[in-house]
Amino acid sequence: MPKSIGILTAGGDSPGLNAAIRGVGKAAIGAYGMQIIGFRDGFRGLMQDRTVRLTGAELSGILTVGGTILGTSRDKPHKMPVGDQTMDMTNVMLETYRRHHLDALVCLGGGGTQKNAYHLAKQGMNIITLPKTIDNDVSGTDVTFGFDTALGIATEAIDRLHSTAHSHHRIIVVELMGHNAGWLALGAGIAGGADVILLPEIPYDVEIVAEAIRQRQRRGSGFSIVAVSEGAHSRQDADALAKANAELVEAKAENDKKKKKQAKERLAQLTQTMQDKTFRLSRKLEELTGLESRVTILGHLQRGGTPSAADRLLATRLGTACAELIHKGVFGVMVAARGECTEPVPLEEVVGKVKLVPPDHPWIKTARDIGVCLGDRL
Ligand code: F6P
C-alpha cells in the first residue's frame, strides 16, 4: 500500500491550487495514513530536490489562499534551462523520486503539465494529475479548477466597465485570458452582458463587429462592450497563422532544416506583429464607428486571489479522489470532474489535446440568441 507521496504544482498558477493540495494532503494523511512532501516550484524543485514536508500544520489555513504555497514554474523535465543550456533532466528527477522512496507523485497543472507528467509516467514514476487552469481548456474533464474564480473576476470587471463605457459613450475592448480556448471570454461575456464576444475558435471580421456596434448606436445605445480572448484573431491573421503553421508542419515532415528554420522565423515574426492585436482592433473600431474606444487588459488579475466557493469545492473533491486512487494503486491517470463525481482518465487520452469551445456549444447558441455579435457572418 502506498505510504509516501510527493506533490508539485506546475504551469501558470490558478485559484484553488492550495485547496487541492490541502484536499490531497488531508485525505492522504488522515484517511490513508500516508506521508506527503511538496516539491517547490514545479518540475524544477523535483530536479533540484527542494522539498517541504506537508503535515497537518502546513495544510491548515490554506484553503482560501490564492496562488500555490509550493510555488510554480513553466519548466519542462526534458527541456530544462540549466545555466545557458537547455537539458533533458528527466533522469535527475527520477533519482529524486527514488531517493525519497516515493510511491507516487501528484502533479497539479494544465495541458502542458499533463504532458510533462505523462513523460515522467513513461519513465516509470507512479504519476497522478489534477486539472487546473483558468482557461478551462484541459481535455477529458468537465471543468478545471481556477476557471470559476476567473469567471467571477472577469464578469465583475465587465460589469464595472459598463458604467464608464455608458457615461462616455465609448467602446471598451476588454481582453481576457485564454490563448487557445475562449471559455473565459464567452462565459464572462455572457454573464457580464458584453455586446460582442470574440474567441480564438471563431476568427472575426472587424467590419462585422463595427456593424454590430453601429446597429446598437442606431437603436440608441451609444456604447458597446467588446470582450475578446487574448487568443482571438481576425480572419486575415488566422489565415496567415494557419499558413505559417502548415509550412512548419510540412518542413518537419520533410525533415528540411533550412525550410524548418524559415517557417519558424516566419511564425515568430507573425506572432510578434500580432502582439498588439487588441489595440489594433480598438483603433480600427474607432475608425469604422466614429466612437472613442479604450482597451482594458485584465491579464493576471484573473489568476490572483481567493478561490471561489465552487473552485474550493471542486479542488477539494478532486484532491480527495486523488488520495483514494493512490491508495488503490491507480496511476498514469488524471482525476477528472465528471458531473457530481470524479473519474480517472488515462493520461494518454488527455495529453496533446486542447478542449476548445465547440461551434455548436450551448453557450454559443445562448450568446447568439440574445443578440451578441461573435464577429462572424452567419
Ligand atoms: O494559465 C493559463 C494562462 O492564464 C493563459 O491564458 C495565458 O496566456 C497564460 O496563462 C499567461 O501565462 P504567464 O503567467 O506565463 O504569462
Side-chain angles (χ1 to χ4, degrees):
M1 234 185 281
K3 277 282 168 225
S4 193
I5 65 174
I7 187 166
L8 61 82
T9 54
D13 69 344
S14 118
L17 276 168
N18 290 326
I21 295 168
R22 174 178 173 273
V24 175
K26 285 205 168 206
I29 299 167
Y32 305 110
M34 299 176 200
Q35 290 184 342
I36 178 164
I37 55 167
F39 290 98
R40 295 194 186 275
D41 303 331
F43 295 105
R44 179 161 290 269
L46 182 62
M47 173 184 81
Q48 295 170 334
D49 198 1
R50 286 189 291 121
T51 60
V52 52
R53 179 91 194 279
L54 297 176
T55 66
E58 286 78 22
L59 296 171
S60 171
I62 63 170
L63 175 64
T64 59
V65 178
T68 159
I69 56 162
L70 294 176
T72 186
S73 71
R74 291 200 180 274
D75 294 312
K76 303 179 179 77
H78 61 295
K79 275 188 191 166
M80 184 69 69
V82 182
D84 54 4
Q85 290 183 35
T86 301
M87 295 169 74
D88 183 346
M89 301 304 278
T90 309
N91 283 337
V92 179
M93 294 183 198
L94 209 53
E95 275 168 36
T96 310
Y97 178 88
R98 290 187 181 136
R99 189 175 312 119
H100 289 280
H101 306 288
L102 294 181
D103 297 302
L105 177 69
V106 184
C107 303
L108 278 53
T113 303
Q114 306 300 328
K115 208 165 162 181
N116 293 324
Y118 182 49
H119 170 74
L120 295 181
K122 286 192 290 183
Q123 312 305 311
M125 291 191 203
N126 287 334
I127 296 285
I128 186 158
T129 69
L130 297 189
K132 73 90 219 193
T133 163
I134 66 160
D135 294 349
N136 194 32
D137 61 356
V138 176
S139 178
T141 181
D142 288 356
V143 67
T144 56
F145 59 85
F147 176 62
D148 182 76
T149 309
L151 190 63
I153 297 169
T155 301
E156 191 193 333
I158 297 175
D159 289 349
R160 288 176 183 276
L161 291 171
H162 258 100
S163 60
T164 172
H166 181 265
S167 306
H168 286 268
H169 318 293
R170 281 175 176 157
I171 300 169
I172 292 202
V173 180
V174 50
E175 186 189 283
L176 296 97
M177 277 191 172
H179 54 288
N180 290 316
W183 295 105
L184 195 52
L186 182 58
I190 294 173
D195 308 295
V196 177
I197 303 177
L198 304 176
L199 314 174
E201 293 86 346
I202 306 178
Y204 64 84
D205 181 336
V206 70
E207 298 284 347
I208 292 174
V209 176
E211 182 46 31
I213 293 171
R214 282 193 300 255
Q215 237 179 57
R216 280 177 49 78
Q217 273 181 296
R218 287 196 289 272
R219 285 196 223 112
S221 298
F223 74 97
S224 283
I225 302 284
V226 179
V228 54
S229 286
E230 63 181 329
H233 289 291
S234 67
R235 166 57 59 204
Q236 292 91 315
D237 283 358
D239 289 348
L241 274 173
K243 188 163 172 266
N245 270 314
E247 279 167 10
L248 183 59
V249 170
E250 193 183 299
K252 276 183 181 167
E254 289 170 10
N255 207 8
D256 184 329
K257 279 196 181 139
K258 194 173 160 210
K259 242 170 118 176
K260 210 156 86 180
K261 190 167 170 258
Q262 283 170 344
K264 274 190 180 165
E265 279 169 4
R266 170 97 191 100
L267 206 54
Q269 201 183 11
L270 267 177
T271 316
Q272 179 63 31
T273 57
M274 287 172 193
Q275 292 244 311
D276 70 337
K277 61 187 182 333
T278 302
F279 288 93
R280 267 196 287 139
L281 169 65
S282 170
R283 285 196 296 270
K284 193 71 190 167
L285 290 177
E286 278 195 338
E287 194 186 302
L288 293 173
T289 63
L291 286 171
E292 252 188 347
S293 180
R294 293 286 188 273
V295 173
T296 298
I297 297 185
L298 295 186
H300 293 81
L301 259 184
Q302 296 158 104
R303 289 213 318 236
T306 305
S308 66
D311 272 338
R312 292 180 209 176
L313 179 59
L314 174 64
T316 307
R317 285 200 299 122
L318 294 174
T320 53
C322 174
E324 187 182 353
L325 288 166
I326 296 171
H327 174 71
K328 290 179 174 162
V330 180
F331 301 116
V333 297
M334 176 184 80
V335 189
R338 194 72 71 235
E340 297 300 306
C341 302
T342 61
E343 192 181 290
V345 179
L347 281 172
E348 58 265 34
E349 289 176 23
V350 175
V351 299
K353 295 179 192 155
V354 181
K355 191 181 79 180
L356 300 177
V357 180
D360 58 350
H361 192 274
W363 292 5
I364 296 274
K365 179 167 168 18
T366 297
R368 292 197 198 279
D369 284 353
I370 55 168
V372 173
C373 168
L374 299 182
D376 56 344
R377 200 177 296 284
L378 289 178

